[in-house]
């Protein structure tokens, strides 16, 4: 699921536009700007006000180191989890309704903000992390990269961001670990190209059984036995002695898991890599058959 940015729901943008509206009303000669009362009503001792302080905190740390920038973003995300999402949603709805009563919404939101991209990235990231279904790692990586680059005023290595996110999600609950496996899968695809059917089956089982260690361990051991038999069979068709020796070495070191061993991400990568080897040996066998 992709979270779409909405400037109508973006607390940072709403606050900034109200401040700008107060300035515009004052310059136009209005004695009492409706935006002043709206700002006080919705951003003083409210969930909206508390969420706005997260945006405000972010923009106070411009031109900082990457390590500190990462800490700022992580702190904001964690702090957002303590907000009452249902109250926040209701307050935003009522805020838009009140703005509409005093201003033309199209004109109100027409103002271009210089920090719009960062504002949008904060909103999207907070929404993703507070969603019931974390399912789009690319969206997290893209938005986190935007924020880190904004704070550091420098280019950020996306692969490092991806690695950090994977590490962050390793020991989380089922939904979050599913996301971690998807990030891991992308890393694997970057190096080894697209998955073959056997690899897809392995990944599907890891995702579906992420909370069922005995079942996953049994599946893993079954696949290890299957891989050994397949590799030995294919190896008989290989005429290159050096390749035969290497394949036999691989078969001998393929690790099975004991009754108390836990399945982890390394085991997933292990299976994916060895099914990649099977595919390559299949290609070798086909080439030999057609020589």
């Amino acid at each position: 699921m992709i979270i779409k940015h909405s400037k109508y729901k973006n607390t940072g943008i709403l606050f900034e536009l109200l401040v700008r509206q107060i300035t515009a009303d004052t310059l136009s000669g209005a004695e009492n700007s409706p935006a002043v009362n709206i700002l006080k009503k919705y951003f003083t001792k409210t969930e909206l006000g508390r969420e706005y302080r997260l945006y405000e905190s972010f923009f106070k740390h411009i031109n900082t180191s990457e390590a500190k920038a990462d800490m700022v973003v992580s702190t904001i995300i964690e702090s957002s989890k303590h907000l009452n999402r249902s109250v926040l949603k209701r307050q935003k709805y009522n805020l838009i309704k009140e703005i509409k009563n005093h201003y033309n919404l199209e004109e109100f939101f027409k103002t271009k903000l210089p920090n719009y991209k960062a504002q949008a990235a904060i909103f999207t990231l907070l929404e993703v992390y507070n969603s019931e279904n974390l399912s789009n790692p690319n969206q997290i990586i893209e938005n986190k990269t935007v924020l880190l680059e904004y704070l550091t005023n420098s280019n950020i290595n996306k692969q490092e961001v991806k690695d950090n996110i994977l590490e962050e999600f390793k020991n989380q609950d089922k939904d979050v670990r599913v996301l971690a496996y998807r990030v891991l899968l992308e890393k694997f695809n970057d190096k080894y190209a697209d998955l073959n059917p056997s690899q897809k089956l392995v990944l599907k089982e890891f995702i579906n059984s992420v909370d069922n260690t005995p079942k996953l361990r049994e599946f893993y051991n079954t696949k290890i036995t299957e891989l050994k038999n397949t590799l030995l069979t294919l190896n008989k068709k290989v005429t290159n002695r050096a390749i035969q020796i290497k394949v036999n070495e691989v078969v001998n070191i393929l690790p099975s898991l004991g009754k108390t061993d836990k399945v982890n991400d390394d085991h997933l990568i292990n299976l994916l890599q060895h099914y990649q080897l099977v595919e390559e040996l299949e290609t070798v066998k086909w080439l030999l058959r057609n020589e």
Side-chain angles (χ1 to χ4, degrees):
M1 180 180 70
I2 296 178
I3 300 292
K4 293 184 179 180
H5 174 249
S6 169
K7 57 187 177 182
Y8 289 85
K9 298 177 182 178
N10 188 311
T11 301
I13 288 177
L14 288 168
F15 184 93
E16 191 165 340
L17 289 178
L18 281 168
V19 171
R20 287 172 178 254
Q21 188 63 54
I22 292 171
T23 304
D25 290 347
T26 302
L27 291 175
S28 66
E31 292 186 7
N32 297 305
S33 170
V36 172
N37 292 328
I38 294 173
L39 201 62
K40 289 180 179 178
K41 179 178 178 180
Y42 287 96
F43 288 89
T44 303
K45 296 181 180 180
T46 62
E47 288 300 288
L48 260 173
R50 282 186 275 276
E51 184 173 60
Y52 170 70
R53 283 196 288 275
L54 300 182
Y55 284 78
E56 186 180 42
S57 175
F58 173 84
F59 289 104
K60 283 182 179 178
H61 293 88
I62 298 173
N63 295 325
T64 189
S65 66
E66 185 175 339
K68 188 171 182 180
D70 188 66
M71 183 177 68
V72 169
V73 174
S74 297
T75 301
I76 288 172
I77 290 170
E78 284 305 308
S79 298
S80 74
K81 295 176 182 179
H82 299 292
L83 296 171
N84 188 317
R85 308 306 297 181
S86 59
V87 171
L88 195 57
K89 183 178 180 180
R90 184 169 66 251
Q91 288 178 357
K92 287 182 183 181
Y93 174 82
N94 290 333
L95 170 59
I96 293 298
K97 188 177 179 181
E98 191 145 351
I99 292 173
K100 188 177 181 181
N101 288 337
H102 295 279
Y103 302 101
N104 179 295
L105 279 185
E106 186 176 345
E107 289 297 319
F108 182 84
F109 283 99
K110 185 182 283 187
T111 304
K112 291 184 178 180
L113 303 177
N115 56 7
Y116 181 87
K117 188 175 181 180
Q119 297 268 30
I122 296 172
F123 169 86
T124 305
L125 208 55
L126 296 187
E127 290 297 310
V128 169
Y129 272 89
N130 285 284
S131 169
E132 292 182 357
N133 182 22
L134 282 169
S135 59
N136 196 311
N138 280 333
Q139 193 166 35
I140 295 176
I141 294 162
E142 289 294 331
N143 285 284
K144 194 166 185 180
T145 301
V146 167
L147 296 182
L148 293 178
E149 289 184 340
Y150 186 90
L151 291 182
T152 61
N153 196 27
S154 61
N155 292 328
I156 298 294
N157 188 322
K158 279 189 181 181
Q159 187 59 51
E160 289 183 6
V161 175
K162 185 184 289 188
D163 291 344
N164 290 338
I165 290 172
L166 176 61
E167 189 65 30
E168 175 189 346
F169 290 152
K170 261 187 177 180
N171 299 313
Q172 300 296 324
D173 60 23
K174 180 178 179 180
D175 287 340
V176 182
R177 290 205 68 205
V178 167
L179 173 61
Y181 280 136
R182 291 182 182 178
V183 176
L184 197 66
L185 172 60
E186 287 188 3
K187 288 177 65 180
F188 185 88
N189 274 336
D190 287 343
K191 187 173 182 181
Y192 297 102
D194 295 332
L195 298 185
N196 59 46
S198 295
Q199 290 169 321
K200 289 178 181 178
L201 176 64
V202 167
L203 182 69
K204 181 179 178 182
E205 187 65 29
F206 265 69
I207 290 176
N208 291 338
S209 305
V210 71
D211 275 346
N212 192 335
T213 301
K215 181 182 176 184
L216 195 55
R217 184 168 54 238
E218 181 182 352
F219 172 82
Y220 175 83
N221 285 337
T222 299
K223 288 301 171 184
I224 286 295
T225 301
E226 177 184 294
L227 275 167
K228 287 181 177 181
N229 292 334
T230 302
L231 287 171
L232 288 173
T233 299
L234 289 173
N235 209 23
K236 293 176 182 178
K237 306 291 183 181
V238 177
T239 56
N240 186 300
R241 182 61 182 162
I243 293 178
Q244 282 185 332
I245 292 172
K246 287 184 189 247
V247 172
N248 282 328
E249 287 176 354
V250 168
V251 171
N252 290 332
I253 64 171
L254 275 174
S256 295
L257 294 175
K259 292 183 179 179
T260 59
D261 292 333
K262 289 186 177 181
V263 185
N264 58 39
D265 301 336
D266 291 335
H267 296 118
L268 169 60
I269 289 295
N270 193 31
L271 286 178
L272 294 178
Q273 287 176 329
H274 286 96
Y275 274 113
Q276 184 73 22
L277 174 60
V278 167
E279 184 175 48
E280 290 169 2
L281 286 174
E282 287 278 9
T283 303
V284 171
K285 187 181 77 170
W286 185 88
L287 289 173
L288 289 172
R289 192 167 59 240
N290 288 273
E291 284 181 349

